[in-house]
Amino acid sequence: MTTVRVNPAQRLRGELRPPTDKSISHRAAILAAMAAEPVRIRGYLDAADTNSTLRAVRRLGAIVQMRTDDLLVRGTGLRDAVVPDSPIDVGNAGTLMRLLPGWLAAQAGRSYTLDGDASIRRRPVDRIAEPLRLMGAEVDATDGRLPPFTVTGAQLRSIHYELPVASAQVKSCVLLAALTADGATTVTEPAPSRDHTERMLAAAGVSVHRNGRHVTVANTDELTLEEIVVPGDASSAAFPIAAGLLVPGSRLVLRGVNVNWTRTGFVRIVERMGGIVIGDLEDEPGDEVVPREPISDLDVTAGPLVGTVVEPEEVPLAIDELPLVALLGCFAEGETVVRGAQELRLKESDRIATVVDGLRALGGTIEATADGFVVTGTGGLGGGRIASHGDHRLAMLGAVAGLASREGVEVGGMEASEVSYPRFMDDVARLM
Ligand code: S3P
């Protein structure tokens, strides 16, 4: 385990290009593996999580060629995934674990076992098992709900599935399974969540329709995708954004960031807190499913912040950035409250517990609630030691806290950032 000491920064200046998007990279590799013709992927994220996905699709029969400027994936088609001779290791990647079964469920009569690291083994899969069973697949999970678990494919039935939680992973799993069902499948979300799968399926020639909270996908014989371009990751960009807002005198430009409306909830929360982040953000889309991802540069200026309340409908649009909202709250005037975010307990760590314990250890005033937290701003953080608990976003949160703190922060387990942002500490160093 690597412990890194991060000292307070004087000010942060300059520009950087955040790593490319983890969510979109996972989807690109899986869809390319499901396609019949070769797919070129530009900007595929080179990080631990997305490398797990490349290994997984290779084991299922896809050929992945790494070239200088891109990846070329030759897939097996929708129904011809190979059965590997041992379980597929998803590593730390929850998105891989929840999306891939949507494809595996279509492999009639064949069984696939998925397993992962210690964190993955505490993350539930019953949320995907239920709709896949309704569609006709078999799913056998440890204790009925945890990995390792086995998916046995079938000729799938189309369904209308109402998601019990606003989860883009579960929605995406059902939409992938829907491709080989015997008719059109509809998923109803309780609140909007990231829509990368819908956009990429539309780009692959699939009929995808949105009607308010309902998304309908028609079955198809094949995916036709020649090229996927992966934009910068808004969730990774959120860490330098938070540092730029908090370290006095900072001014940063982040290049090439995905500004899909379903991913920019954090920027909207920041704006409400008085933070200055300027960019060409996508407006809330109507029902049309656009087959592309919008990109913009973001310009960040440090300044005073005020507390805010994050309501349950906003949670899925900023789910991975809520730990940073807690950090900003420590520096803001007044109270910052996050409600309706019980899903945080099921992430790479229990992010309500790890964020509250971590920020308290640095001098923050923060209380956990059943579904979020309440932070009282006290003008900043002293410093101390924070543990990543093997959670990439906790590690980077600790480093940003260190830059903005009065005395510096030691981050235990900084190497967890490899999961989504391997160059994180180098990027930070370049801004000092
Ligand atoms: C993701 C969706 C979110 C998010 C995760 C990535 C995705 O999870 O927390 O990091 O790529 O679909 P849920 O959909 O389960 O909330």
Side-chain angles (χ1 to χ4, degrees):
M1 198 178 77
T2 321
T3 297
V4 170
R5 183 173 172 80
V6 181
N7 289 319
Q10 291 300 321
R11 59 176 202 181
L12 301 171
R13 289 282 166 124
E15 55 175 70
L16 63 85
R17 198 167 272 282
T20 50
D21 194 273
K22 182 159 85 68
S23 281
I24 297 174
S25 293
H26 285 303
R27 287 161 172 76
I30 295 171
L31 259 68
M34 297 170 81
E37 297 291 328
V39 180
R40 177 175 180 226
I41 307 176
R42 276 166 54 202
Y44 190 84
L45 173 67
D46 180 12
D49 251 26
T50 43
N51 288 332
S52 294
T53 300
L54 291 185
R55 275 195 297 275
V57 298
R58 277 184 165 133
R59 298 200 65 210
L60 293 166
I63 296 170
V64 181
Q65 228 179 314
M66 311 274 203
R67 308 192 299 191
T68 325
D69 297 329
D70 59 16
L71 279 184
L72 190 72
V73 181
R74 286 166 217 273
T76 64
L78 291 171
R79 298 172 194 269
D80 290 315
V82 165
V83 180
D85 53 12
S86 59
I88 293 172
D89 180 5
V90 303
N92 188 246
T95 304
L96 172 59
M97 169 174 78
R98 305 241 178 69
L99 263 61
L100 198 61
W103 180 29
L104 301 178
Q107 313 306 311
R110 302 200 290 284
S111 298
Y112 303 82
T113 300
L114 276 68
D115 198 0
D117 69 8
S119 148
I120 276 290
R121 283 187 169 194
R122 51 165 283 278
R123 302 186 66 186
V125 293
D126 44 353
R127 49 185 55 203
I128 56 161
E130 182 186 273
L132 293 180
R133 283 186 193 124
L134 291 171
M135 295 179 87
E138 258 177 61
V139 183
D140 293 302
T142 307
D143 298 331
R145 62 187 293 266
L146 297 171
F149 67 105
T150 299
V151 180
T152 304
Q155 170 51 56
L156 301 177
R157 292 186 286 278
S158 60
I159 55 170
H160 181 165
Y161 190 65
E162 222 164 291
L163 290 173
V165 281
S167 161
Q169 293 181 349
V170 182
K171 172 178 65 175
S172 299
C173 176
V174 180
L175 297 182
L176 295 185
L179 298 173
T180 56
D182 57 2
T185 292
T186 300
V187 178
T188 301
E189 324 188 66
S193 65
R194 66 189 68 187
D195 64 356
H196 307 306
T197 305
E198 293 90 308
R199 291 182 194 227
M200 212 182 279
L201 288 176
V206 177
S207 151
V208 185
H209 289 285
R210 171 172 281 284
N211 176 7
R213 299 282 151 82
H214 314 286
V215 186
T216 301
V217 166
N219 52 359
T220 185
D221 292 328
E222 60 177 27
L223 300 180
T224 49
L225 259 171
E226 273 171 28
E227 183 180 78
I228 302 170
V229 180
V230 185
D233 192 315
S235 299
S236 297
F239 292 92
I241 290 175
L245 292 167
L246 293 180
V247 176
S250 297
R251 177 82 199 272
L252 303 180
V253 176
L254 295 155
R255 298 278 180 211
V257 183
N258 182 216
V259 286
N260 175 322
W261 182 81
T262 62
R263 294 295 296 280
T264 48
F266 175 65
V267 177
R268 293 188 287 277
I269 294 166
V270 162
E271 283 170 349
R272 245 178 17 236
M273 296 178 85
I276 304 173
V277 179
I278 296 167
D280 189 13
L281 304 190
E282 185 183 52
D283 292 331
E284 181 174 359
D287 281 346
E288 192 198 349
V289 178
V290 280
R292 66 189 158 270
E293 295 286 346
I295 298 175
S296 173
D297 295 342
L298 299 177
D299 196 323
V300 184
T301 307
L305 300 173
V306 291
T308 191
V309 178
V310 176
E311 298 290 358
E313 336 54 273
E314 286 182 281
V315 163
L317 307 173
I319 184 75
D320 295 333
E321 293 72 68
L322 295 175
L324 286 171
V325 173
L327 175 67
L328 297 182
C330 293
F331 290 76
E333 194 188 315
E335 225 173 52
T336 297
V337 182
V338 172
R339 291 201 253 269
Q342 56 282 359
E343 277 293 300
L344 286 179
R345 296 203 183 272
L346 303 173
K347 298 296 176 188
E348 286 84 330
S349 65
D350 170 346
R351 285 190 184 148
I352 294 181
T354 53
V355 167
V356 167
D357 291 351
L359 291 177
R360 273 196 186 156
L362 306 182
T365 303
I366 173 166
E367 300 287 334
T369 59
D371 64 349
F373 35 76
V374 178
V375 191
T376 306
T378 53
L381 289 174
R385 189 182 157 82
I386 187 169
S388 74
H389 300 274
D391 181 338
H392 53 132
R393 301 207 197 273
L394 250 293
M396 293 187 280
L397 172 95
V400 174
L403 295 170
S405 68
R406 290 186 291 272
E407 293 140 28
V409 169
E410 267 189 13
V411 185
M414 191 65 224
E415 73 284 353
S417 67
E418 299 278 328
V419 158
S420 59
Y421 198 160
R423 290 183 287 103
F424 179 69
M425 289 309 288
D426 299 335
D427 277 359
V428 167
R430 282 198 298 109
L431 299 173
M432 311 241 284

